[in-house]
Amino acid sequence: MVKNGILNLVGSVKESIFLCLFNLLWKGGGVLKIALYNENLGELEILLGQLDQCAREYLRFVEITPYVRQEDFCSLVRDGPEIDLFVVAQDGTFSLEIVELLWEKRPHAHIFWFSDLDFALRAYRYNADWFGKKPVDIHSLRKAFGQVLYRRECL
């Protein structure tokens, strides 16, 4: 009995992996383009690694472009190419200004928003896919990725 249960479990795991890979290939298997904004270089470096790790855990290939300057990120939002996911991890009201611009210029954008201030209600208003308090931890990013992929099935 136990042996069959283990075999069934292994079979369902194999099936799940197959379905994930099939789903990834069927949807084009393209690279997920992420724009990451954080003016703190130390935090930025940590976030780059965490985003890459989460993407690999969800079988996604990613191209992460980091932005340290607000002007560069705002220019991307206004005039840049298509981005699959915007990650804003900035202290203070600067993050609020960035998310307001995203909402105005790219109303259907996927957004992960992290701040030291509690903007949870604003995040809901601006249709952010995820809001979390800083410092960002890997568990929050995993939840955010999982929730977006489950709800949208297209990231």
Side-chain angles (χ1 to χ4, degrees):
M1 294 272 193
V2 173
K3 204 171 201 180
N4 288 339
I6 291 172
L7 289 175
N8 286 339
L9 176 63
V10 170
S12 67
V13 169
K14 285 180 182 177
E15 183 178 307
S16 295
I17 291 171
F18 172 77
L19 289 174
C20 285
L21 290 172
F22 179 78
N23 190 28
L24 178 65
L25 293 172
W26 181 256
K27 291 186 176 185
V31 174
L32 179 66
K33 294 182 180 180
I34 299 175
L36 169 62
Y37 171 61
N38 188 324
E39 291 181 1
N40 182 316
L41 290 175
E43 290 179 7
L44 185 72
E45 189 174 314
I46 291 168
L47 276 170
L48 281 168
Q50 290 176 336
L51 283 168
D52 184 60
Q53 180 180 342
C54 286
R56 282 187 281 118
E57 289 173 3
Y58 283 97
L59 300 176
R60 302 289 189 226
F61 299 104
V62 292
E63 177 185 309
I64 305 169
T65 306
Y67 292 86
V68 179
R69 293 174 10 113
Q70 184 176 6
E71 299 83 16
D72 296 337
F73 191 79
C74 290
S75 177
L76 167 76
V77 171
R78 285 187 197 100
D79 306 318
E82 279 298 311
I83 300 293
D84 298 307
L85 174 64
F86 291 92
V87 179
V88 178
Q90 183 61 35
D91 292 335
T93 57
F94 292 121
S95 66
L96 177 60
E97 293 170 11
I98 295 290
V99 173
E100 285 176 342
L101 180 65
L102 277 165
W103 185 63
E104 178 185 318
K105 298 293 183 184
R106 300 191 185 213
H108 302 293
H110 293 282
I111 304 168
F112 292 174
W113 182 9
F114 297 94
S115 177
D116 61 332
L117 302 175
D118 190 354
F119 290 123
L121 291 176
R122 298 265 181 132
Y124 179 76
R125 178 177 177 229
Y126 294 131
N127 202 28
D129 294 285
W130 184 267
F131 177 81
K133 295 277 291 210
K134 285 180 70 181
V136 181
D137 62 65
I138 190 72
H139 303 294
S140 295
L141 280 176
R142 282 186 183 124
K143 286 181 186 177
F145 263 89
Q147 193 172 53
V148 168
L149 292 173
Y150 177 76
R151 280 189 292 154
R152 311 286 175 137
E153 297 180 11
C154 63
L155 244 191

